[in-house]
Amino acid sequence: MPKLIVGNWKMNGLQADSRDLAEKLAAGMKGDPSNDFHMVVCPPATMIAPVAAVLKGSAIRWGGQDCHAEASGAFTGDIAAPMLKDLGCDFVILGHSERRQYHEETSAQVAAKAKQAYAAGLAVIICVGELDAQRSAGEQESVVARQLAESIPAEALPLNTVIAYEPVWAIGTGKTASAEDIRQMHAFIRGKVGRMQILYGGSVKAENAREILHTENVDGVLVGGASLKAEAFMAIAAASRLP
Ligand code: 13P
């Protein structure tokens, strides 16, 4: 199965640099048969339309970084799943640790958002992962088990749901989980979610992508910082290929 290589641009990018990044990625994918990976980018909401205009007709698909649990209504500042679909999104990231942390998003809210996303025809990328202190206390599996149980709605299928394991202590810190930590946690998650794709995220870069992508039960990666540079992101994607 091709690896899923997802770029989470987070709150980065104005029109010129977002278009430029998308153009470079589209150009980079042109000569690539891409049998080894599928590429997805998730720009900030304001940049989805301009990026979509660049990526249309390319092999790269795009998604949002969050959506509301209602399809429309009086929710100032929020974005509904049908709005993302209207911009050609195929995916939405839900329950990212930054939303759980800074917006106090609960797993129950993530599950409600996922239901709206399915109703709009989007696939969801549901993020789970333990804090540093939870791993130090040996609680990483119980934390992740609870997040999975509460964040994934009954409607979830391997076709519409991707799980991203992102240990919070590895996000934007330059610290990556070891291949053995990743292997163990992904095997644990596999036991819970069956055939759903499982991505790893947290300080993935060109230098460590090959080892991570070829670890058992790693079906792809969710990349933050390194997805903002076309060359680095393309190198990560290219690491999907076996040498
Ligand atoms: P970094 O790749 O910058 O560590 O971010 C990971 C992440 O949070 C992707 O969603």
Side-chain angles (χ1 to χ4, degrees):
M1 174 123 98
K3 303 285 184 186
L4 188 59
I5 310 295
V6 184
N8 175 8
W9 294 5
K10 306 193 179 183
M11 196 174 73
N12 294 292
L14 302 177
Q15 297 199 58
D17 43 316
S18 297
R19 273 206 200 91
D20 183 59
L21 176 53
E23 274 162 14
K24 285 183 175 142
L25 292 175
M29 286 291 276
K30 237 184 189 155
D32 202 300
S34 99
N35 294 328
D36 299 294
F37 62 87
H38 290 153
M39 185 179 280
V40 176
V41 294
C42 298
T46 54
M47 286 301 110
I48 294 175
V51 164
V54 173
L55 296 183
K56 213 166 179 197
S58 80
I60 306 172
R61 291 181 293 164
W62 56 93
Q65 298 176 9
D66 179 45
C67 72
H68 198 275
E70 297 292 335
S72 64
F75 300 103
T76 302
D78 279 311
I79 294 156
M83 297 172 180
L84 296 177
K85 190 67 189 175
D86 191 44
L87 295 179
C89 289
D90 286 321
F91 292 89
V92 61
I93 297 171
L94 293 178
H96 191 281
S97 65
E98 287 149 16
R99 298 213 54 92
R100 291 180 188 264
Q101 209 173 336
Y102 306 134
H103 296 264
E104 287 163 19
E105 218 171 270
T106 65
S107 291
Q109 286 169 329
V110 173
K113 289 177 175 199
K115 285 189 200 179
Q116 275 301 335
Y118 300 146
L122 297 170
V124 301
I125 301 171
I126 294 180
C127 303
V128 296
E130 79 285 357
L131 303 169
D132 203 3
Q134 292 167 327
R135 177 162 282 267
S136 301
E139 294 167 0
Q140 65 272 19
E141 289 190 350
S142 58
V143 167
V144 167
R146 193 163 57 240
Q147 288 176 334
L148 291 170
E150 294 174 1
S151 306
I152 304 176
E155 293 85 344
L157 298 168
L159 260 182
N160 62 18
T161 308
V162 175
I163 304 302
Y165 169 56
E166 298 206 305
V168 178
W169 49 271
I171 295 177
T173 57
K175 279 199 264 176
T176 325
S178 70
E180 181 52 24
D181 287 343
I182 297 173
R183 196 194 59 74
Q184 275 184 21
M185 183 58 87
H186 279 236
F188 178 76
I189 296 173
R190 175 70 66 217
K192 305 278 177 200
V193 305
R195 288 184 299 107
M196 288 175 194
Q197 286 177 286
I198 309 172
L199 314 183
Y200 169 79
S203 298
V204 176
K205 30 187 189 286
E207 296 74 30
N208 58 22
R210 184 173 297 280
E211 182 179 32
I212 293 170
L213 279 163
H214 297 289
T215 297
E216 218 178 329
N217 287 312
V218 174
D219 301 311
V221 285
L222 179 55
V223 187
S227 73
L228 297 172
K229 297 259 182 303
E231 205 174 305
F233 194 51
M234 287 304 303
I236 290 169
S240 301
R241 285 192 204 96
L242 284 167

